[in-house]
Structure formats: C-alpha cells, structure tokens
Amino acid sequence: MSRSTTLVVGAHGVIGGAVVRRLVAEGRHVVTLARRGTVRLEDGTEIEDHVQVDLLDASAARAGLGSRADITEIVYAGYTERETMAATVAPNVAMLRHVLDAVHASPSELRQVVLIGGGKSYGEHLGVYKTPAKESDPRFLGPIFYNDQEDLLYEDAKRHGYAWTVLRPDAVIGLSFGSPMNMLTGVAVYAGVCRHLGVPLRFPGTLRTWSALHQATDASVIAGAVHWALESAAARGEVFNVTNGDHFRWQHLWPEIGAFFGMETAPPQPMSLAEHMADKGGVWDDIVARHRLRPEPMEHLAAWLFVDGWFSMEADMVQSTIKIRQAGFADCRDTHESFLGNLARLRELSIIP
Ligand SMILES: NC(=O)c1ccc[n+]([C@@H]2O[C@H](COP(=O)([O-])OP(=O)(O)OC[C@H]3O[C@@H](n4cnc5c(N)ncnc54)[C@H](OP(=O)(O)O)[C@@H]3O)[C@@H](O)[C@H]2O)c1
C-alpha cells in the first residue's frame, strides 16, 4: 500500500489536537485543517503542512484541498457551535460535505474516513436516556447533527468506495487552545476564580447531577481509538462508543479537584455559570497577571453554556464500550486520574494557576 497522509479536520480542537499529537508520535504524515493558522505540538513544534480554510465555504475548501494528491485518510473532528441543536445540523453537515467533495475533486485517492461523533447520538442531552447506550440502539427522533453527518458519510463512502469508522466519545477531557467547549478548562477557570475571590469551591451543578453516574473520555483515549481505527480492519464500517471505560460521580471527584487547587470545598450551590461568570473576565485577567499565565482571555478557555449543560445532566450517563473492546481497542483511563493529570498539564503549560 502506498504511503498514507492523514488530514485532521478540526486540528485545533480538544479532540483534533490530541489526534494530531498521537498520529505524529506514531510517525504518520499529518496535514492539519482549521480556520486558524498552523497547529503546534506541546513542545512548540509547528505542523507545517496546514490547510487554513473556512469549511463553511465550499469554494474555499476546494481551493485549499483541490490540488493535493496525497490525502488518503481523513479524521473529521471539526465542529461549529450554534444556539440550538436544530441550527447546528446544517452548518456541521455542510462542513463535512465540503471537505469530502473537495478531496474527491482533487487527485487524492481517499481510502478511509474516521468521523468523530458523540454521546448525544443517544439523546443524553435531552435528560433521561436508555443506558447503557449501545451502538446498535435505534436512533431517536432528532434533530441531531450526528445522524445527518453519519448518513452523509455512509452514502459518500459507498459512492466513492472508501472505508469509514464512527467513534462516539463523551465529555472529552484534554487540552485545547481557543476551543472553549472543554469541561476541563471550564472547571479549572471556575476554580481559579473562586480561589482568587476567596470563596470555597462549590459544585455549581444541580443536586441530581452531583450524585449521578457520569462518564468522560480522555482526549488521549479518543486519539488512541482514532489511531487504532486507522490501523485495524475490525474498525472498518463500524460505529464505536469510546469512553475512559469507567464512570464517576462529581460528588467524589469534586474534593480532589478542590485539593488540586488547595481549596476548601463547600456544599453544592446550583447556579448558571453563564450568568455568574459573565462579569468575571476581569478577575481572570488579574489571575493571569498574578500567576504569569499565558494571556488567554476567559472566553478562550471556557464556554459557560457548555459547562452549564454538563452540570445539569441529572440522569446517569452510560455508554457501553464492550463493542470496541471486543474489536481490539483496549485503552482505558481512570477518570479521576484523567482530570487531575490534565489539570496538572494545564498548570505546567501556564494556562491555569
Ligand atoms: N468536546 C467534547 O466534550 C465532545 C464530546 C463528545 C463528542 N464531541 C464531538 O467531537 C467533535 C469535535 O468536537 P471538539 O470538542 O473537539 O471541537 P472543538 O474543540 O470546538 O474544535 C473544533 C475544531 O473545528 C474547527 N472549526 C470550527 N469551525 C470551522 C470551520 N468553519 N472551518 C474549518 N474548521 C472549523 C476549529 O478550529 P478553528 O476555530 O481554527 O476553525 C477546531 O479546530 C464534534 O462533533 C463534537 O460534537 C465533543
């Protein structure tokens, strides 16, 4: 088989960034794609082969990718947020369509696409849903953009003769810069602001969320699953849930997060962070100055509506990961270690105090 080149779409994201790091470490040739400029690895190395394009613009996508003859695989981890799920469908389907069309119009010979989906496929964002959620479960009514992206992928793969894999992580924990849809950085900024203002670390979610069974996916685990999917014949033509493999309850994790920041915790105080953090941008700037952090404004690190969404998930969240394990992907991570290890990394990188 000829040399492979993997196009990672959404390479600045919490998932795309981890995928880039993993595939580069595995010695693969990686091409990154985003609206922003080049992607840097944690050690500062720049991935020079970068396509800077707004995928909402079909002609820009064709211009950016049309002359490439080397793209053999696409890992699609792009995402654009909208106010409602219904409004999210069209732009996210268009972005996927535009990248596929642009690669098909180029001299590249596409062999495989790995699409990153997620737990919302099972309706988890609606509240109670059937658990454990399995890949074989029937779809719910929608709208849910993952369904439309998957349908597009299945039809396009059939027409153009390439292999596909869909991976469904949940609550991804990892590093991201300028992609604030990230629970880890959201929790870290909230804790940093509470500490700076001298108030104890109160869980801001609902009381039911505090004790519900939750799950998460370390970015390194989903990146490992992407690498496995690119390498393994067992992954072709299949949908897989990907989580850390364990579950957690905020009531047990929260004191460990408090200890990480050297903070007292106090009983939960349900509140909207979108509302209560709206006036704290200046406090975060003071924290950045005092601790000589990387000068990232609060809105680059935390999307409060996204954090509020997770903190109001009151039902158990359980995706079965039996299928991917039986297919041969066995990576797993203790979720408490995942949170604390990633917080430590953010501190080492001078992103949080
Ligand atoms: N984060 C989670 O907890 C989580 C959990 C389960 C599933 N997922 C799913 O995983 C997928 C990836 O999510 P993520 O959280 O990694 O996203 P993310 O951190 O917000 O990253 C999105 C990426 O897409 C790029 N992008 C956005 N708009 C673009 C455009 N118009 N043209 C080109 N690139 C664009 C962004 O870079 P630029 O801004 O530079 O363009 C960024 O690199 C999504 O389908 C998401 O639903 C995420």
Side-chain angles (χ1 to χ4, degrees):
M1 191 177 275
S2 58
R3 189 168 184 259
S4 60
T5 292
T6 311
L7 176 69
V8 180
V9 177
H12 283 292
V14 63
I15 296 174
V19 169
V20 170
R21 293 193 288 277
R22 176 63 185 259
L23 297 186
V24 168
E26 295 288 347
R28 283 178 169 257
H29 182 65
V30 170
V31 182
T32 53
L33 185 150
R35 281 170 307 183
R36 275 170 278 169
T38 50
V39 173
R40 286 187 186 273
L41 302 178
E42 278 176 53
D43 66 3
T45 312
E46 187 180 23
I47 308 289
E48 285 172 9
D49 203 349
H50 179 70
V51 180
Q52 185 170 5
V53 72
D54 184 342
L55 282 182
L56 289 170
D57 180 343
S59 54
R62 274 198 306 277
L65 291 163
S67 61
R68 296 209 66 124
D70 58 340
I71 308 294
T72 51
E73 294 148 348
I74 299 172
V75 177
Y76 189 87
Y79 178 67
T80 185
E81 176 84 327
R82 293 292 184 274
E83 292 264 310
T84 64
M85 181 54 80
T88 305
V89 175
N92 281 287
V93 172
M95 282 167 55
L96 176 61
R97 183 184 298 283
H98 295 160
V99 76
L100 291 172
D101 287 351
V103 171
H104 295 320
S106 78
S108 289
E109 286 178 28
L110 189 61
R111 296 200 291 251
Q112 190 175 359
V113 174
V114 178
L115 172 67
I116 307 298
K120 288 180 184 163
S121 275
Y122 302 112
E124 65 174 22
H125 55 301
L126 303 177
V128 176
Y129 67 111
K130 177 248 173 192
T131 53
K134 294 189 176 178
E135 298 87 339
S136 54
D137 289 347
R139 285 177 168 181
F140 81 94
L141 185 62
I144 169 74
F145 72 98
Y146 294 140
N147 286 354
D148 303 75
Q149 285 188 326
E150 287 176 13
D151 288 343
L152 166 61
L153 178 65
Y154 301 157
E155 199 264 328
D156 191 74
K158 209 165 153 189
R159 181 144 43 96
H160 292 275
Y162 61 84
W164 59 265
T165 304
V166 176
L167 300 176
R168 292 179 180 162
D170 202 25
V172 176
I173 303 171
L175 310 181
S176 66
F177 307 100
S179 287
M181 258 186 36
N182 186 330
M183 273 307 275
L184 182 79
T185 44
V187 168
V189 170
Y190 169 68
V193 166
C194 288
R195 187 173 73 176
H196 191 78
L197 296 178
V199 298
L201 187 62
R202 293 188 172 88
F203 181 70
T206 70
L207 289 179
R208 284 197 182 146
T209 305
W210 178 239
S211 57
L213 198 61
H214 275 204
Q215 62 191 358
T217 306
D218 193 282
S220 67
V221 172
I222 182 68
V226 167
H227 178 243
W228 169 79
L230 292 172
E231 299 274 316
S232 169
R236 313 250 153 87
E238 299 287 346
V239 178
F240 296 103
N241 292 335
V242 186
T243 73
N244 284 344
D246 66 354
H247 289 84
F248 75 102
R249 297 182 202 275
W250 285 105
Q251 61 182 346
H252 301 138
L253 177 58
W254 203 250
E256 294 183 24
I257 294 173
F260 176 87
F261 287 101
M263 295 173 73
E264 295 289 332
T265 54
Q269 173 57 67
M271 62 179 143
S272 155
L273 292 181
E275 205 176 303
H276 289 84
M277 295 299 286
D279 62 349
K280 305 293 188 299
V283 178
W284 179 253
D285 293 341
D286 290 348
I287 295 170
V288 167
R290 180 162 165 188
H291 294 271
R292 299 200 176 125
L293 303 180
R294 267 170 64 144
E296 296 282 357
M298 191 167 78
E299 61 271 20
H300 282 191
L301 297 171
W304 298 117
L305 280 175
F306 174 79
V307 178
D308 281 342
W310 283 108
F311 280 154
S312 55
M313 298 278 198
E314 299 189 331
D316 290 347
M317 297 168 70
V318 183
Q319 280 166 238
S320 168
T321 52
I322 293 297
K323 182 179 173 187
I324 197 166
R325 292 185 213 196
Q326 289 181 333
F329 177 73
D331 280 11
C332 57
R333 191 137 186 223
D334 179 287
T335 295
H336 285 217
E337 283 175 20
S338 168
F339 253 95
L340 298 170
N342 277 295
L343 285 174
R345 191 70 191 120
L346 286 176
R347 187 176 273 163
E348 275 169 20
L349 293 169
S350 296
I351 293 163
I352 62 167

